[in-house]
């Protein structure tokens, strides 16, 4: 099966990309910060490989496991959501 690596796919758009990819016979490999949180979504597509990683932590990135299968597609959907104009945004306002 063809694999797709999704960075930041434990919720929102990334998770929907993983689900749609699975419907199209892609095997999702998901790296996400909230993968290990107690309230993380547990309804990932069948066959999903899930890794917990925080991109803000150089240590997490340095020690992140590499996929063990070839990856045909890569989707970077990790990021911060700004809730207002950037010039008025405090670090604590970013999700």
């Amino acid at each position: 099966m063809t694999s797709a690596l999704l960075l930041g796919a434990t919720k929102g758009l990334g998770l929907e990309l993983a689900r749609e990819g699975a419907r199209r016979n892609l095997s999702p490999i998901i790296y996400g910060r909230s993968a290990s949180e107690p309230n993380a979504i547990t309804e990932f597509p069948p066959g999903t490989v899930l890794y917990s990683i925080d991109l803000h932590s150089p240590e997490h990135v340095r020690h992140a496991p590499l996929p063990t299968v070839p990856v045909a597609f890569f989707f970077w959907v990790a990021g911060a959501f700004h809730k207002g104009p950037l010039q008025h945004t405090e670090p604590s306002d970013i999700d």
Side-chain angles (χ1 to χ4, degrees):
M1 182 178 260
T2 303
S3 294
L5 191 148
L6 298 101
L7 187 59
T10 55
K11 57 187 171 185
L13 176 63
L15 180 56
E16 287 306 312
L17 279 170
R19 288 176 176 156
E20 182 60 28
R23 283 191 284 276
R24 295 173 183 235
N25 295 319
L26 291 174
S27 179
I29 303 169
I30 297 175
Y31 288 80
R33 177 181 55 196
S34 60
S36 63
E37 292 180 3
N39 296 326
I41 295 171
T42 57
E43 296 179 18
F44 292 102
T48 297
V49 177
L50 186 61
Y51 297 110
S52 179
I53 182 174
D54 184 352
L55 293 175
H56 290 106
S57 167
E59 195 67 19
H60 274 211
V61 173
R62 195 172 12 264
H63 296 296
L66 296 174
T68 58
V69 296
V71 174
F73 300 97
F74 175 72
F75 298 93
W76 185 305
V77 288
F81 175 70
H82 298 280
K83 299 175 181 159
L86 189 57
Q87 66 268 26
H88 301 291
T89 303
E90 298 294 325
S92 61
D93 295 332
I94 299 173
D95 178 22

